[in-house]
Amino acid sequence: MILETQNLSKSFGTQEAVDNLSLEIPEGSVFGFLGPNGSGKSTTIRMMTDLIRPDAGEVFIQGKSVQKYHQKALSGVGAFIERADFYKHLSARTNLEMLARMDGNGFENIPIILERVGLSERAGDKVKNYSQGMRQRLGIAQALLSKPKLLILDEPTNGLDPQGMKEVRDLVRELSSEGITIFISSHLLDEVQKICSHVAIIHLGQLIISGKMDDLLTESEWFTTEIRVKPVKKAKTVLENQDWVHRCEEKHGALFINTTSEKLPEVTALLVQNECAVEAVIPKTSLEELFLSKTGMNEPQSHRDSEKK
Amino acid sequence: MPLCLRGKKLMFGLIHNELLKITGRWRSFIGFIGIGVLMPFILWGFSYGGGEIHDEYVRQLGDSFIVVGSIFNAFLATYIVMNAFWIHMPFLVALAAGDAVAAEGAAGTFRIILTRSTSRLKILFAKLFATWIYTTLLILFLAFMCLGVGTLWLGSGDLIVFDKGILILDQNEAWIRMALSFGLAILVMYVVATLCFMFSTMVNNGIGPIIGAIFLIVIGYIIMAIPLDMFEKMEPYIFVTYFDVWQQAFKEPIPWDRIAKSLGVLSLYTAGFIGISVAVFLRKDIKS
């Protein structure tokens, strides 16, 4: 594992931001880190990069404790945390030169990085004159400056237009193909599904699920399958009696069930045997569905509120 | 490259970065602009109205001494300016020191510098050294404006100091005493800069540390000014008490023991401020 968190916990006052969180990020993976707002994603990432001290637990990067050996642990890490804030009165090039000096490196890598993020022509401009998208790209540039083995990106596509998002997505794929491990947090589930090989979801500071993207998406018991069938009431009764159906609800004239993907042909056959007319079976195996079902965000707000209490 | 050389190169690089940041903030130039504008004005005032002071000095000394050349020269002007200006210098120093750490929190730039493979301790000390360099340059600029420009404007000569009697220092000795005085002044201002720096590690805005540092200094001056027995007993333990150590350079003989004691106390305070800064900064959670 290139990055590992062991029983991380952090509270701010009485509020528990992260609770006993253990994660394992395999080398060479593109790891998506998801969670609703306030779930503890940023706090976790800040503990990974030693911006915040955990109350308990440790973070290991390439086997070295970030909390005990900051310099060694972070020597092969590039990080872009939340927003691209720079010394605005200085140019992009000067900003990168300052950071290269901090890394103890020369400046020879700077033109290559600037070219890579498409800022070569504006490198001499002061950062205060940059658009949000350009700042985001500069943020990624500074993370790449030290030729990292692990890249930690927290909401790297914030403020980018669709074209900018695609560029970041392509860049992440390109960097991954070069062997760089990428840990990426994003609200954009579609983006994460497109680029990540692994995913973890946290909610209220706790790990809900973690694993390979493909494995999680094929374990369709997590997902809702929509069945358009007539008569709905009869179909519901039939399916409710099967122990391999985890949930069966009628909504908007259709049935929504939770079951494994292997059972879907059986669902159809069973309904037909019971003289139900099956119009469509729509498996909703998207990351969004996984996210919403695991975080309880597909429940009505009142239900979620009562759960929190 | 050997590790120690790499470490030195890194530290110089970090200090270089911090100096770039300081020079990038216009607030850092307020002190230089203030001195640069005010000093020529004061020197002009001295040259314009200095004749009266000169005549008064000559009238007082004329019976006992043969006065050759001008008594009213750059040295005397510097001495008077330092006495008048000294109370305000901490504010000018604090303008840069207050921003040293706090500005990074306000701008959100901690997120790019503290996630790199450089220790927080090195970053903190680079900031402190850069603040001290700024402080040194500010005092040297004051010296240049007083003595350099003053010599061109008012000329040089012997320095006459009225301090429990009359002390006359010839021109060569006056240069030495001025150098000593400004050297001590720089060390005193390091205490102010470090105090402000300490507050800067605690907050995320540059104004708080300035107010905090100036407030403590003013409190110190108030305690010194009130002739209460209790306050007089506290005086030896208050760092502000030793802020006038630069004036010892104009005593005859120079009271080295008093200077050593003052510098000792000020060094202890500085070490204490640095210790608190380190403790705060190493534990600081970067949430912004």
Side-chain angles (χ1 to χ4, degrees):
Chain A
M1 296 296 154
I2 193 164
L3 169 63
E4 208 175 331
T5 73
Q6 286 183 358
N7 310 108
L8 273 188
S9 293
K10 181 71 183 179
S11 297
F12 297 110
T14 55
Q15 194 186 348
E16 204 161 39
V18 175
D19 180 16
N20 204 28
L21 182 71
S22 295
L23 283 174
E24 289 186 339
I25 287 83
E27 194 158 2
S29 63
V30 181
F31 197 102
F33 190 47
L34 307 174
N37 285 338
S39 60
K41 290 195 306 290
S42 286
T43 306
T44 304
I45 289 177
R46 281 164 194 252
M47 286 192 280
M48 285 175 174
T49 49
D50 208 20
L51 289 174
I52 287 181
R53 305 261 151 173
D55 295 335
E58 251 177 299
V59 177
F60 294 91
I61 295 179
Q62 294 186 296
K64 295 175 194 89
S65 165
V66 171
Q67 281 68 39
K68 287 181 186 150
Y69 309 105
H70 172 105
Q71 277 176 274
K72 283 183 184 167
L74 291 180
S75 65
V77 178
F80 172 85
I81 313 287
E82 233 170 81
R83 283 190 319 272
D85 286 318
F86 287 91
Y87 303 102
K88 294 183 182 72
H89 56 278
L90 302 173
S91 70
R93 190 181 290 113
T94 309
N95 268 285
L96 293 183
E97 284 172 0
M98 284 170 66
L99 297 172
R101 248 183 241 120
M102 289 190 76
D103 295 336
N105 294 332
F107 301 155
E108 60 281 351
N109 202 22
I110 292 174
I112 302 163
I113 300 282
L114 284 168
E115 180 71 38
R116 189 160 205 180
V117 297
L119 286 175
S120 288
E121 287 178 14
R122 300 283 304 272
D125 291 4
K126 288 185 176 177
V127 175
K128 67 180 174 188
N129 298 324
Y130 273 23
S131 67
Q132 180 61 26
M134 291 168 77
R135 285 183 197 185
Q136 292 292 105
R137 280 188 271 160
L138 185 58
I140 293 172
Q142 65 80 23
L144 293 173
L145 200 57
S146 58
K147 298 179 182 168
K149 287 180 187 155
L150 169 65
L151 197 57
I152 297 174
L153 304 174
D154 186 11
E155 305 287 354
T157 52
N158 262 2
L160 294 182
D161 57 20
Q163 175 62 26
M165 284 184 194
K166 187 183 176 302
E167 282 169 14
V168 171
R169 200 165 61 221
D170 292 343
L171 181 62
V172 167
R173 282 203 186 105
E174 202 180 306
L175 293 168
S176 174
S177 71
E178 290 169 18
I180 298 174
T181 307
I182 297 163
F183 182 89
I184 186 166
S185 140
S186 176
H187 281 106
L188 303 169
L189 302 176
D190 188 44
E191 293 288 315
V192 171
Q193 190 173 351
K194 278 177 186 162
I195 56 176
C196 292
S197 59
H198 293 68
V199 69
I201 298 176
I202 67 165
H203 186 41
L204 301 173
Q206 292 181 324
L207 182 68
I208 303 292
I209 193 170
S210 177
K212 280 187 181 173
M213 180 78 78
D214 290 343
D215 292 350
L216 294 176
L217 293 182
T218 50
E219 283 173 21
S220 54
E221 65 181 298
W222 306 114
F223 306 110
T224 307
T225 301
E226 183 182 347
I227 302 167
R228 293 182 191 163
V229 60
K230 279 176 186 166
V232 179
K233 299 276 183 214
K234 187 178 178 187
K236 190 179 179 218
T237 312
V238 169
L239 291 177
E240 268 175 347
N241 290 328
Q242 309 305 317
D243 56 2
W244 40 267
V245 174
H246 299 278
R247 187 174 71 109
C248 183
E249 274 179 19
E250 186 191 338
K251 235 188 269 179
H252 313 302
L255 277 185
F256 290 83
I257 66 164
N258 279 21
T259 189
T260 57
S261 56
E262 299 87 59
K263 290 285 182 187
L264 287 180
E266 209 169 318
V267 168
T268 316
L270 192 66
L271 291 172
V272 172
Q273 277 168 21
N274 286 278
E275 296 174 349
C276 296
V278 179
E279 292 171 3
V281 176
I282 308 162
K284 297 200 163 179
T285 51
S286 72
L287 183 58
E288 183 176 67
E289 190 66 21
L290 172 69
F291 178 83
L292 293 176
S293 64
K294 295 312 294 177
T295 56
M297 296 189 84
N298 54 355
E299 304 288 345
Q301 183 65 43
S302 55
H303 188 158
R304 274 186 274 151
D305 290 345
S306 65
E307 251 188 8
K308 272 185 195 173
K309 282 171 196 167
Chain B
M1 192 187 291
L3 269 178
C4 61
L5 276 182
R6 193 175 158 79
K8 272 184 194 168
K9 189 186 163 200
L10 178 66
M11 197 41 137
F12 281 126
L14 293 176
I15 294 171
H16 182 174
N17 282 354
E18 295 307 322
L19 291 173
L20 276 176
K21 292 175 202 172
I22 289 175
T23 52
R25 295 182 204 116
W26 85 269
R27 189 189 284 183
S28 309
F29 294 100
I30 291 177
F32 289 93
I33 294 168
I35 292 168
V37 171
L38 202 60
M39 279 313 300
F41 182 67
I42 292 170
L43 292 172
W44 171 78
F46 281 148
S47 67
Y48 185 73
E52 291 166 25
I53 302 173
H54 179 264
D55 292 345
E56 180 62 24
Y57 266 56
V58 170
R59 196 173 53 75
Q60 283 184 27
L61 300 173
D63 295 340
S64 315
F65 300 92
I66 298 165
V67 178
V68 179
S70 174
I71 294 168
F72 203 82
N73 53 38
F75 293 124
L76 186 60
T78 302
Y79 184 74
I80 293 169
V81 164
M82 279 183 83
N83 270 295
F85 218 41
W86 200 241
I87 201 103
H88 310 292
M89 281 308 284
F91 181 73
L92 299 180
V93 168
L95 283 175
D99 267 341
V101 182
E104 303 267 12
T109 42
F110 271 141
R111 282 183 276 112
I112 56 168
I113 63 167
L114 296 186
T115 50
R116 310 202 88 77
S117 60
T118 308
S119 76
R120 283 195 184 196
L121 200 61
K122 280 182 187 155
I123 291 172
L124 186 76
F125 273 100
K127 287 181 176 296
L128 181 63
F129 292 148
T131 305
W132 284 353
I133 290 170
Y134 171 85
T135 304
T136 307
L137 292 175
L138 189 67
I139 303 298
L140 289 179
F141 184 66
L142 177 68
F144 168 75
M145 290 303 292
C146 288
L147 292 170
V149 179
T151 303
L152 292 174
W153 204 317
L154 302 169
S156 62
D158 296 341
L159 170 62
I160 298 177
V161 179
F162 290 94
D163 180 50
K164 295 172 188 166
I166 300 166
L167 173 65
I168 301 174
L169 300 167
D170 70 44
Q171 193 173 325
N172 292 335
E173 183 67 15
W175 277 113
I176 294 167
R177 299 298 183 102
M178 281 291 168
L180 175 62
S181 175
F182 275 103
L184 292 169
I186 287 170
L187 296 177
V188 169
M189 283 303 123
Y190 281 176
V191 184
V192 176
T194 314
L195 171 67
C196 196
F197 186 87
M198 177 188 77
F199 284 125
S200 186
T201 59
M202 298 175 182
V203 294
N204 280 345
N205 74 78
I207 304 297
I210 297 170
I211 294 170
I214 299 300
F215 178 74
L216 270 190
I217 291 167
V218 169
I219 293 282
Y221 280 131
I222 290 172
I223 289 173
M224 284 169 65
I226 298 174
L228 279 176
D229 196 38
M230 184 183 72
F231 286 169
E232 279 168 11
K233 281 179 186 160
M234 286 169 70
E235 270 183 34
Y237 305 101
I238 299 170
F239 61 91
V240 178
T241 306
Y242 304 96
F243 272 17
D244 64 352
V245 63
W246 63 272
Q247 287 178 331
Q248 308 304 319
F250 300 108
K251 299 254 175 15
E252 189 62 33
I254 296 171
W256 292 108
D257 54 340
R258 199 171 159 196
I259 290 174
K261 186 191 169 192
S262 298
L263 293 183
V265 173
L266 292 174
S267 301
L268 277 177
Y269 267 102
T270 305
F273 296 151
I274 293 172
I276 295 169
S277 304
V278 169
V280 171
F281 191 65
L282 293 188
R283 286 176 172 78
K284 193 179 178 91
D285 281 343
I286 309 302
K287 293 183 250 176
S288 59

